[in-house]
Each structure stands twice: as structure tokens, then as C-alpha cells.
Amino acid sequence: MKLKSGKLSLANRRQDPIASSPHLPTEILFRILILQPLVTQWTCPNACREMMNILLRCCRVSKAWCEVAREILYRCIPLTQAKSLRLLLRTVFSERFDGICPARALHFSPRFSTPRPDEMQLREFAELAGTIVLPALHQHKASPQILTGLRVSRQDLQLLAPLLVQLSNLEFFEMHQSHGDGDALGHSFSPPTFQLSSISISQTELSPSLCKWLFSSSSQTIESLEVQEVGASLRHLIEVIGDFVKKLHIKQMFDMIVRSDLDAIKALSGLPRLQSLRIDGRCFKIEPLLNLQSSLETFAFSNAVARNVQARLESGWQPSLRSLDMYCGPGLLTLLPWIPTTTEQKEVRELAMACAVRGIKLNTMFIF
């Protein structure tokens, strides 16, 4: 229906919801939408799903809204099932993305229908994950061939195996609270070929087969080793890489020592070329260190064992020592700086005298 009056002409038209969508500056729209995850995580039991549904609806408002909402959707994608990986791959290899995953972060956390998934399920998930990750590394000029460092936390190494075998030039590897079946890895995947120079392992149980699969290629190149709460597993690791390790740090909460560290200390006799040793924690006995087959140049320890160290020095322990680093700091239950008691002051003076007699430099490090 049209109404005409002079130059005025009005027509009933069906409004296009996209054309009539509100226009907001991109920066403001982004700030509004990015707040949605923060709100839903506290107000909705199924926060993640609700957040994604809202953002998906925003994608249908207009092109401008779609670009902003899609950027948030692709910030971090949780992937729990092989089906999800296949759907993501379908999107990645569409004309729009040309094989490059647009996500800023991918969270691989596999959940299988059975408590103990079979080898085929694990292998499928791992290979799909590798198919997604490797092209993204190339796109961001971080190809597997030039990556030199990798940190892994709370991961099943069977899911990382396809990626690990691509990292031929890796020099540093850190593994925290992770696990892997060395026998299954050896059966399904070729071992990595990287030649590491430094590794850090914490709160991870290492079997002999896992150590062999993961680190055999680096058995003659690893010179620096850092461990925390690995216990007797350190012995298995030393059997593979111990011949060339020159520097070792046994980490621990400063004010406490647990059984795992004591087990790790007992394994140190398998390091014939060790030159630098640091042991965190309090009240460990130094007697196991009397069996060291190596000639230490530096030794670092807590002030709590100063008296034991002094006694060993006076008995001629480790004649190759050149310097000692004594770490002093607050206790576990206090944030106050270390203030030595009269007894501690006396122990430090006696240690300094023992160092002076042998020509050893004593460095005092304060931890706040």
C-alpha cells in the first residue's frame, strides 16, 4: 500500500532484521560480549554451553556482530571427543580458513565412553589433534622444525606423541603432572628424535619404558635436569640420561621435605659427571650424598642443613668444591623474612670458617 502526497511516497516494506540491527562500535560490542563468559560461569550450571549458544545467536545478527562473536568463540576451544575434532577439522578445511585453525587456544581433554579406552580410540584422538595443531604452527611461523621449547601440563603423552615426533630440534622440555604408558607408546609410535639439552619434570611418575621412549635420543645431550616430587622415578630417568648430566636441581617447597625427595636424593650416585647440585627443602640428611661418584663444583642447599654441610666439609667431602650457595627465606607458615636465631647465626659463622679453610666461596641467597 502506497500513500502519495506531493513528493512524499511511503511504502510498506518488510524490515530486514539484519539491516535494522543496532550499530555499535566494534570495541564496545566486544566488551559487552566478552563479559558474557564471566557472568554465565557464576549464574548458569551449564555455563560453557550457555555462553556458546549466546555467542552463536550473536553471529546471526549481522556481519559485524558475527566477526566479534566468532573471535570470542575461537579464543579457546575445548575438545573432549573425537567427533568434536572431526567437526573442527571440517571447519578448518573449509574455503574460509584454508586448513588453518583460527583458534587462539585449544584445550584437548579427551573423554571416552569407557573408563579404559582401547588403543585405536587413543590413536585416533591423537592423530586428529596433530592434524589440527601442526598446520597452525606453520602458519604462525613456529613450524615444528624450529620450535626449541615445549611445556606440557596434565597431559597423556599418548595424545601428544604425533606432535612430539615432529619436534626434531627441541632443546628444552618441561613436563608437569603428566603420564604415559611407555610400552603402549613404543608399540604405537616411533620415539622422538629431538636432542634435548635441558629438561624439567615435576609430579610425574616415570616408568623405565617411558624414560627410554621419551629421552633415548637425548641420552648424550641432556646436561641440565630439574625435578620435583618424582621420587624413585628419578632412578629410571638417570639410567637413560645420567651419564652426561652436569647440573641437577631437586625442587621442593622451601620449608618442607617429603619422602619423594629423599628417594630422589638416593639416586644421585648414578650421575658420574654432575658438577652443580641444588637440593631444596629442610632437614634432609646429607649422608646419601657421600656416595656421589661425581666431583661437584657448586652445591646449593637450605640454611636448615648448614650444620650438616659444615661437618661434611671438615671431613674432606667433595674436594673439588669451589662455591656453596645457601638459601635463606621465610618458613612455610609465615611471610616474614628470615631472621636467624642465635643458634643459626653460630651455624652460619662456623660454616663460613669451614669454607674459608678450604678456599670455598660461600654465597648467601635470601628468598622473600
Side-chain angles (χ1 to χ4, degrees):
M1 177 179 176
K2 297 183 179 181
L3 296 175
K4 295 184 179 180
S5 176
K7 296 183 179 179
L8 179 63
S9 176
L10 300 175
N12 285 336
R13 296 181 301 173
R14 185 179 178 183
Q15 284 193 331
D16 184 347
I18 294 179
S20 62
S21 61
H23 174 72
L24 289 174
T26 302
E27 297 80 4
I28 296 178
L29 181 60
F30 180 82
R31 289 182 178 274
I32 293 173
L33 295 182
I34 199 64
L35 286 175
Q36 185 61 37
L38 301 178
V39 175
T40 54
Q41 68 177 335
W42 300 111
T43 60
C44 178
N46 301 312
C48 184
R49 173 54 58 185
E50 178 65 17
M51 177 197 72
M52 286 192 291
N53 287 338
I54 291 174
L55 291 172
L56 287 171
R57 289 197 291 270
C58 290
C59 288
R60 295 194 289 268
V61 173
S62 69
K63 183 177 180 181
W65 281 51
C66 180
E67 291 178 355
V68 175
R70 188 177 63 193
E71 181 181 349
I72 299 172
L73 281 168
Y74 281 125
R75 279 199 156 196
C76 182
I77 301 179
L79 298 165
T80 60
Q81 299 176 350
K83 178 183 177 181
S84 301
L85 272 70
R86 286 193 290 268
L87 290 174
L88 179 59
L89 275 173
R90 186 181 68 181
T91 300
V92 167
F93 285 101
S94 65
E95 292 183 2
R96 187 178 192 87
F97 296 110
D98 196 25
I100 304 302
C101 181
R104 292 190 179 185
L106 298 173
H107 182 198
F108 296 101
S109 181
R111 298 174 188 172
F112 299 101
S113 56
T114 57
R116 296 180 64 86
D118 58 39
E119 181 182 323
M120 291 298 296
Q121 290 176 299
L122 287 169
R123 187 179 181 89
E124 180 189 22
F125 194 98
E127 290 179 346
L128 287 171
T131 304
I132 295 171
V133 171
L134 291 176
L137 291 175
H138 284 288
Q139 173 68 11
H140 294 286
K141 298 181 180 180
S143 70
Q145 286 70 35
I146 65 173
L147 278 180
T148 58
L150 178 67
R151 289 180 172 87
V152 174
S153 180
R154 297 184 177 92
Q155 293 295 317
D156 184 341
L157 294 182
Q158 286 180 265
L159 303 178
L160 285 174
L163 175 61
L164 292 177
V165 298
Q166 298 283 337
L167 306 179
S168 57
N169 291 324
L170 208 64
E171 298 176 1
F172 170 77
F173 181 65
E174 179 179 326
M175 183 164 59
H176 173 70
Q177 291 183 352
S178 297
H179 62 280
D181 185 334
D183 294 328
L185 282 166
H187 179 73
S188 303
F189 301 99
S190 300
T193 58
F194 43 58
Q195 295 186 339
L196 302 168
S197 60
S198 177
I199 61 175
S200 176
I201 312 293
S202 63
Q203 300 176 357
T204 298
E205 184 176 352
L206 300 169
S207 66
S209 58
L210 179 59
C211 291
K212 184 177 180 181
W213 183 85
L214 195 54
F215 298 119
S216 285
S217 62
S218 305
S219 61
Q220 297 184 16
T221 59
I222 295 177
E223 295 188 352
S224 179
L225 172 61
E226 183 179 89
V227 295
Q228 179 179 355
E229 298 179 45
V230 297
S233 294
L234 180 59
R235 190 176 302 278
H236 305 317
L237 184 59
I238 287 177
E239 288 176 355
V240 176
I241 68 169
D243 287 345
F244 291 85
V245 172
K246 296 180 179 179
K247 183 178 181 180
L248 171 63
H249 182 186
I250 300 179
K251 298 180 65 177
Q252 186 51 270
M253 293 288 290
F254 178 76
D255 215 10
M256 62 184 295
I257 192 79
V258 293
R259 180 66 183 173
S260 60
D261 270 340
L262 298 178
D263 288 337
I265 292 171
K266 293 177 182 178
L268 299 185
S269 59
L271 298 169
R273 301 190 185 188
L274 189 63
Q275 298 176 1
S276 176
L277 173 63
R278 175 178 173 180
I279 301 178
D280 291 352
R282 305 173 71 89
C283 304
F284 71 87
K285 294 183 178 180
I286 202 171
E287 280 69 21
L289 301 182
L290 299 178
N291 298 322
L292 288 178
Q293 303 300 313
S294 55
S295 298
L296 294 180
E297 295 182 0
T298 63
F299 178 48
F301 53 91
S302 161
N303 64 283
V305 295
R307 187 170 184 177
N308 288 338
V309 173
Q310 175 228 329
R312 294 303 100 201
L313 291 180
E314 292 177 345
S315 68
W317 177 68
Q318 288 292 322
S320 57
L321 273 173
R322 297 179 181 177
S323 66
L324 295 180
D325 295 333
M326 183 175 66
Y327 287 85
C328 311
L332 181 65
L333 301 178
T334 177
L335 297 178
L336 297 176
W338 179 64
I339 302 176
T341 63
T342 302
T343 301
E344 289 174 330
Q345 290 177 354
K346 179 182 177 182
E347 291 174 352
V348 171
R349 286 197 302 268
E350 292 176 349
L351 176 60
M353 291 176 61
C355 289
V357 169
R358 289 187 44 175
I360 297 173
K361 183 180 180 181
L362 176 63
N363 304 307
T364 303
M365 312 291 187
F366 292 94
I367 303 175
F368 299 101

